Amino acid sequence: MIVLQLWLILLLYLYTYQTITYYPTDFLHTLSSGVFSEIFDGEVYKYYVDGEWKKSSSGKSVAIINPTTRKTQYKVQACTQEEVNKVMEMAKEAQKLWARTPLWKRAELLHKAAAILKEHKAPIGECLVKEIAKPAKDAVTEVVRSGDLISYCAEEGVRILGEGKLLVSDSFPGNERTKYCLTSKIPLGVVLAIPPFNYPVNLAVSKIGPALIAGNSLVLKPPTQGAVACLHMVHCFHLAGFPKGLISCITGKGSEIGDFLTMHPGVNCISFTGGDTGVAISKKASMIPLQMELGGKDACIVLEDADLDLVAANIIKGGFSYSGQRCTAVKVVLVMESVADELVAKVNAKVAKLTVGPPEENSDITPVVSESSANFIEGLIMDAKEKGATFCQEYKREGNLIWPLFLDHVRPDMRIAWEEPFGPVLPVIRINSIEEGIHHCNASNFGLQGCVFTKDINKAILISDAMETGTVQINSAPARGPDHFPFQGIKDSGIGSQGITNSINMMTKIKSTVINLPTPSYSMG
Ligand code: NAP
């Protein structure tokens, strides 16, 4: 009896083990013992082409500077134009077969890549800490969120790409019922993905997932800061077993190979996230679909009846998370004069509690990405100082580390009223009417997101309608996610709408097949 019970326990254990773990133990062991070792030659990371990890023939590398230590942390290959040509050729070939691969198989591979990515959240998260000074906890969260995003793409793709449409001709005047039009969605071809430094993994997979499930091949040009995290992420796709050439990763400085990539005749779609660079790309690119997610100056309008504790908490979360280096960070507070003193006091009390230091210690405020970025932020702060803004905290900077700063009494003649600092500094403009707040928001070149705080839902909706931004959040700070929500900027903030469903649709085109029936020779009566 005891022997039987032991057998049952063993069988139960084996069954549970097989269902929970996706990969055999020896596979996991191989990965963890030499995690990603094939992608690194001991000094420089390799780039990825035709299913292989290679060194560039340029013999040159690009240094990735750790924002905290300001020393070289990693090096990546400086790829050449010939290597870009080769990647495009491979991508074009691989895409033809991939487009004929059944949708369910594409989805299966994406799920596999998502699982491998999540398995490697720790080493990839560590790269994000070292390359872009992302607080350790947030770095791991970014990787896990990216895995979820890939899986969601697979599921959504299976749903929406599995559907087509049938139109009949007699609904248009003058036509008989002699034409049946079948439409379905087909891939565009080669998608070029260029993400920014601040969410290099998440914003790369937000392009890779939709592109692949839709049957496209993908060429990734990662940001220089964040390139190594991206290479590790691409390695997860490699391990999942995607066909050779379908995914490639070209490294190098955007200023050197960017134009060659974006103007390459082999590219059929560009999905770009970043700053003004995107405006320049959209002027140079050829006649291909563009998805542009660019900068923002998200305004936070605060009315007299707002819950000021809720506003203060959202200003801290929205304005200072990841040291303000988020496209959807609150970048200007427009508060009614009658409640401004109280709000500023509440925010100041919370700013005093923010921890400042290295990302490894999960500090709230960590060094900004580069010295030039810190200098730019300092320039905005000094301009505001000269023109009379009130500093709620003392201005303090050590290297790339800037202490959080709330600037009160900012006026429209100050640069910080309009420009995107991408750092831990937040201006407050006191307003005397709702119209004044809306006017400031709409006078901006940007139109990404905005938010309004009030207990009056009617006012909130009217203000949302009047704000010229892609999204307005009511009683919460702007945010990109959840990743399946539509996300879009207007004016200089972007072209097109993102979010998983919109991205899948954007990376496809409609194909019609029309069945022309002969006019019946027999009586229809
Ligand atoms: P960036 O300087 O515009 O760079 C973005 C990407 O473009 C990087 O991969 C960069 O590579 C590459 N690049 C540079 N020059 C290029 C060229 N001539 N051709 C093609 N690619 C080129 O932006 P960032 O500083 O990384 O990111 C911050 C900006 O992104 C902010 O403005 C922020 O608001 C915006 N952003 C927007 C969203 C959104 O969804 N709307 C989300 C996140 C961030 P290198 O790194 O090698 O230069």
Side-chain angles (χ1 to χ4, degrees):
M1 188 63 187
I2 290 176
V3 175
L4 186 66
Q5 278 176 338
L6 281 173
W7 266 109
L8 279 173
I9 290 169
L10 183 66
L11 279 175
L12 190 66
Y13 168 79
L14 284 174
Y15 173 75
T16 314
Y17 181 81
Q18 289 293 332
T19 25
I20 292 175
T21 51
Y22 205 77
Y23 307 101
T25 31
D26 56 343
F27 179 61
L28 286 180
H29 179 72
T30 315
L31 286 179
S32 54
S33 58
V35 184
F36 304 118
S37 57
E38 69 179 305
I39 75 175
F40 182 56
D41 77 356
E43 198 196 340
V44 187
Y45 273 85
K46 299 176 192 168
Y47 77 105
Y48 187 57
V49 55
D50 200 19
E52 289 177 22
W53 297 90
K54 292 194 174 159
K55 291 188 189 180
S56 168
S57 62
S58 71
K60 292 185 191 151
S61 62
V62 177
I64 294 166
I65 310 297
N66 182 322
T68 312
T69 63
R70 294 193 287 159
K71 295 199 172 107
T72 299
Q73 182 72 44
Y74 306 114
K75 287 180 192 166
V76 293
Q77 309 289 327
C79 292
T80 64
Q81 295 189 350
E82 288 69 39
E83 283 155 355
V84 170
N85 287 336
K86 180 80 182 162
V87 155
M88 293 299 173
E89 206 182 294
M90 294 292 142
K92 192 172 176 184
E93 271 312 301
Q95 193 268 331
K96 288 180 198 155
L97 260 183
W98 183 244
R100 293 201 295 272
T101 303
L103 194 48
W104 67 266
K105 277 196 182 172
R106 289 186 226 154
E108 201 173 71
L109 274 175
L110 281 168
H111 280 302
K112 199 169 169 189
I116 298 175
L117 185 68
K118 284 179 166 184
E119 287 284 347
H120 294 91
K121 59 181 191 263
I124 300 177
E126 196 182 321
C127 296
L128 294 173
V129 170
K130 301 269 190 280
E131 288 185 278
I132 57 166
K134 185 160 280 194
K137 211 157 40 83
D138 298 347
V140 169
T141 304
E142 177 174 342
V143 183
V144 174
R145 171 183 173 187
S146 303
D148 291 338
L149 197 160
I150 297 168
S151 289
Y152 197 101
C153 285
E155 287 160 19
E156 185 71 344
V158 164
R159 279 193 290 270
I160 65 173
L161 297 169
E163 283 182 359
K165 213 171 175 184
L166 167 68
L167 295 171
V168 287
S169 49
D170 64 341
S171 53
F172 199 87
N175 282 273
E176 297 300 322
R177 198 180 176 87
T178 52
K179 292 174 188 286
Y180 286 8
C181 176
L182 302 170
T183 67
S184 62
K185 286 174 187 148
I186 59 166
L188 297 175
V190 179
V191 174
L192 172 64
I194 307 183
F197 82 84
N198 62 341
Y199 287 86
V201 175
N202 184 258
L203 290 173
V205 304
S206 74
K207 304 168 189 317
I208 298 173
L212 294 184
I213 193 65
N216 300 287
S217 58
L218 189 120
V219 175
L220 173 68
K221 189 334 244 168
T224 296
Q225 299 291 140
V228 172
C230 280
L231 286 166
H232 282 297
M233 176 271 294
V234 169
H235 192 238
C236 295
F237 281 85
H238 170 77
L239 294 172
F242 280 85
K244 284 181 171 197
L246 189 71
I247 307 165
S248 324
C249 187
I250 280 282
T251 52
K253 283 193 177 162
S255 53
E256 285 166 19
I257 53 161
D259 283 355
F260 191 74
L261 272 164
T262 52
M263 294 196 280
H264 199 285
V267 172
N268 303 112
C269 167
I270 300 174
S271 179
F272 176 92
T273 310
D276 291 349
T277 322
V279 178
I281 292 174
S282 62
K283 288 179 183 151
K284 289 185 233 168
S286 58
M287 211 174 77
I288 53 171
L290 300 178
Q291 187 177 45
M292 292 283 159
E293 314 177 324
L294 310 182
K297 185 75 185 171
D298 294 4
C300 172
I301 300 182
V302 185
L303 305 194
E304 290 104 335
D305 67 343
D307 173 344
L308 295 184
D309 288 315
L310 180 73
V311 183
N314 274 276
I315 285 177
I316 293 294
K317 182 174 74 140
F320 296 102
S321 298
Y322 187 34
S323 310
Q325 297 173 111
R326 295 165 53 245
C327 59
T328 53
V330 170
K331 295 194 181 116
V332 57
V333 177
L334 303 163
V335 56
M336 293 297 275
E337 178 69 63
S338 57
V339 290
D341 285 344
E342 196 182 341
L343 178 66
V344 169
K346 283 180 189 287
V347 174
N348 284 339
K350 288 183 186 294
V351 169
K353 290 188 187 144
L354 292 173
T355 55
V356 181
E360 288 83 356
E361 290 173 17
N362 269 318
S363 310
D364 297 316
I365 304 294
T366 56
V368 295
V369 71
S370 64
E371 191 174 342
S372 61
S373 191
N375 292 343
F376 175 77
I377 297 163
E378 187 168 277
L380 292 181
I381 293 170
M382 291 310 140
D383 174 77
K385 188 176 186 181
E386 277 162 28
K387 292 174 183 161
T390 306
F391 280 44
C392 297
Q393 293 78 26
E394 186 194 347
Y395 172 62
K396 195 171 163 195
R397 172 182 171 184
E398 275 173 19
N400 296 352
L401 188 59
I402 293 177
W403 268 249
L405 184 58
F406 204 42
L407 292 178
D408 198 1
H409 299 107
V410 165
R411 290 191 322 265
D413 62 329
M414 299 174 191
R415 284 175 57 203
I416 198 147
W418 306 104
E419 294 181 40
E420 185 187 28
F422 233 57
V425 49
L426 184 54
V428 181
I429 297 179
R430 293 169 177 239
I431 52 173
N432 291 301
S433 67
I434 294 176
E435 290 72 23
E436 200 183 331
I438 293 170
H439 175 77
H440 185 92
C441 169
N442 292 351
S444 170
N445 289 337
F446 294 117
L448 192 58
Q449 288 211 358
C451 60
V452 53
F453 284 85
T454 171
K455 293 192 184 102
D456 185 334
I457 188 66
N458 294 336
K459 272 189 192 163
I461 300 279
L462 290 171
I463 291 170
S464 170
D465 279 353
M467 284 169 85
E468 293 169 2
T469 61
T471 304
V472 174
Q473 304 270 349
I474 296 173
N475 291 326
S476 187
R480 184 188 172 94
D483 289 319
H484 66 305
F485 278 16
F487 178 67
Q488 54 280 315
I490 56 175
K491 298 192 267 184
D492 284 353
S493 290
I495 304 176
S497 179
Q498 296 84 45
I500 291 170
T501 314
N502 288 345
S503 292
I504 295 174
N505 283 329
M506 184 268 167
M507 290 177 187
T508 60
K509 57 188 165 194
I510 303 287
K511 171 73 189 271
S512 305
T513 302
V514 181
I515 304 167
N516 288 278
L517 302 174
T519 313
S521 55
Y522 47 87
S523 159
M524 299 300 282

